[in-house]
Amino acid sequence: MKADIHHHQLGPTAFVLLLSPALRLFPAAAARSAGKGAWLSALLAFLPAALFLFFCCRAAARRREGEGIAELLLRAAPGRPGRAALLALGLWLVCYAGFVLRAGADRMIVAVYPGTPAAFFVLTMAAAALAASFAPLRDAARSARLFYPVVAAVLALVLGAALTAVRKENLLPLARGSLGGVLRGSLGALDVLAWAIGAAALLLPELPKGESSFSRLLAPLALSCAALALISVGVVGSFGAELTAELSWPFFSLVRNLVFFRSVERVEALIVALWVFPDFLIVSLFLRGARRCLALSLGRRVPPLGKARLALPLCAASAAAFALFAAPDAQRFALLSQKIVPAANLFLSFVFFPALFALGRARGRL
């Protein structure tokens, strides 16, 4: 098999995938639980995230050439149980793609275009992601490699500017008895990290066996934890834990208050627009994954992308419908963003996938 995707593309892909949920969820979620210790929550999440990465690499080592997550699950639980699991996973990928569409629209409305209907951004992004989802998976990995230095440089620029304005009293000292809150806050970081690892695993069908080495991916994971910690330091150190916990998009609120290169011109519109690229990558990748899972759940072979003239548009239309109707107002979007989606992601990462893998190992199918 031609090596279309290589291990050195997995780290940048996972990092780019991490940025959208990280900047939406983590700073505020950690601040609500950990207070001043939100930055420490990201560091404490490294060990359980590394264990999840180890599990994913062990599972990937059991796959056959050309197999992905869907085929592994079907081998672990063949027949109706496996097809039901794939159906659930495929529907969840569609729903999550819709949630990303809705979150991207909310970010643009709150930060740049207040009063604009969410449908405009949802439908525009859905159409663009649908067009991209017909391309091979290797194109998604290459896109991530192209986006990676740009978004990493912008993130470094913002955090570098923010760290000069951090107030020490917003971060230290930590109160006695704060360990419990810090540990609860680490669930937000763990959710983001595990989600990025699982999303990058959608590239497995075009990754040659042996390319998903744990040792190769541990350093990118550590850098991701450090990035989350620095984001928390910048946001909480600037606004304080109480205000950070109340903000819907704390990172972009931070950008709005920064001055770059001694200019009074605000640059948040440019930076907010740049974050369209991670959303675009997530949605197009999840549409591909949903199509694969749903096809196998129906007992069909996965057709080439060029022949997916009905499946991918149906997935994209369903994702757009979910985006428009599942969270029509700010209250329901907050519930979806802060409670339902993180809980579902943690369940999939630490219950659903490990249980099916253990079942497949116990029955000698993996």
Side-chain angles (χ1 to χ4, degrees):
M1 177 182 173
K2 182 182 177 182
D4 288 324
I5 299 176
H6 299 279
H7 70 88
H8 60 265
Q9 293 172 304
L10 291 179
T13 301
F15 185 80
V16 172
L17 293 170
L18 171 104
L19 289 177
S20 182
L23 301 187
R24 169 185 51 82
L25 174 69
F26 176 66
R32 281 192 290 271
S33 299
K36 293 181 178 182
W39 58 275
L40 188 57
S41 294
L43 302 180
L44 291 181
F46 173 73
L47 181 57
L51 292 174
F52 179 68
L53 176 62
F54 179 75
F55 159 75
C56 290
C57 290
R58 288 290 302 273
R62 300 286 175 179
R63 68 192 179 92
R64 297 165 183 163
E65 201 72 42
E67 284 188 338
I69 296 173
E71 290 83 358
L72 276 174
L73 292 181
L74 198 57
R75 280 207 290 126
R80 290 183 179 178
R83 288 199 298 271
L86 283 181
L87 178 62
L89 179 58
L91 293 175
W92 173 244
L93 290 174
V94 169
C95 291
Y96 199 98
F99 171 70
V100 172
L101 292 173
R102 180 64 180 85
D106 184 74
R107 184 177 64 240
M108 296 295 287
I109 293 168
V110 169
V112 186
Y113 299 108
T116 305
F120 173 78
F121 299 107
V122 167
L123 296 177
T124 302
M125 177 61 77
L130 173 61
S133 64
F134 281 97
L137 276 172
R138 63 178 177 270
D139 290 354
R142 289 170 182 169
S143 297
R145 289 277 292 179
L146 291 174
F147 298 156
Y148 172 69
V150 178
V151 295
V154 170
L155 183 63
L157 176 66
V158 171
L159 292 179
L163 291 177
T164 62
V166 164
R167 296 195 294 181
K168 182 180 177 181
E169 60 269 23
N170 287 337
L171 301 172
L172 293 171
L174 299 182
R176 287 186 177 182
S178 61
L179 180 60
V182 171
L183 290 174
R184 288 192 300 274
S186 68
L187 288 177
L190 182 60
D191 169 47
V192 170
L193 293 166
W195 179 89
I197 294 168
L202 292 173
L203 298 174
L204 284 178
E206 292 191 22
L207 185 76
K209 287 193 65 176
E211 290 281 330
S212 52
S213 168
F214 174 71
S215 59
R216 291 168 174 167
L217 299 174
L218 195 59
L221 176 64
L223 289 174
S224 298
C225 287
L228 290 178
L230 286 174
I231 290 170
S232 290
V233 169
V235 174
V236 177
S238 298
F239 295 140
E242 293 78 8
L243 179 56
T244 299
E246 297 298 323
L247 294 172
S248 56
W249 292 96
F251 178 80
F252 296 106
S253 298
L254 176 67
V255 171
R256 183 176 297 160
N257 287 277
L258 294 178
V259 175
F260 296 93
F261 310 117
R262 299 182 180 180
S263 171
V264 296
E265 295 295 329
R266 290 163 52 183
V267 297
E268 72 267 17
L270 176 62
I271 295 176
V272 169
L274 179 63
W275 251 253
V276 168
F277 291 114
D279 290 350
F280 169 79
L281 180 62
I282 292 168
V283 175
S284 61
L285 189 60
F286 275 34
L287 291 179
R288 292 181 182 93
R291 164 189 168 267
R292 195 178 193 94
C293 289
L294 294 175
L296 291 172
S297 73
L298 297 175
R300 300 176 181 176
R301 298 183 65 179
V302 181
L305 282 167
K307 296 183 179 180
R309 295 172 183 170
L310 182 61
L312 281 172
L314 281 177
C315 289
S318 300
F322 182 87
L324 295 174
F325 298 110
D329 53 51
Q331 291 75 20
R332 275 178 279 190
F333 175 72
L335 175 65
L336 196 65
S337 176
Q338 298 172 14
K339 303 292 184 182
I340 298 175
V341 169
N345 283 335
L346 288 172
F347 172 80
L348 286 172
S349 300
F350 294 98
V351 179
F352 180 80
F353 290 124
L356 285 178
F357 182 75
L359 178 64
R361 292 286 290 143
R363 293 183 174 181
R365 302 184 184 278
L366 292 179

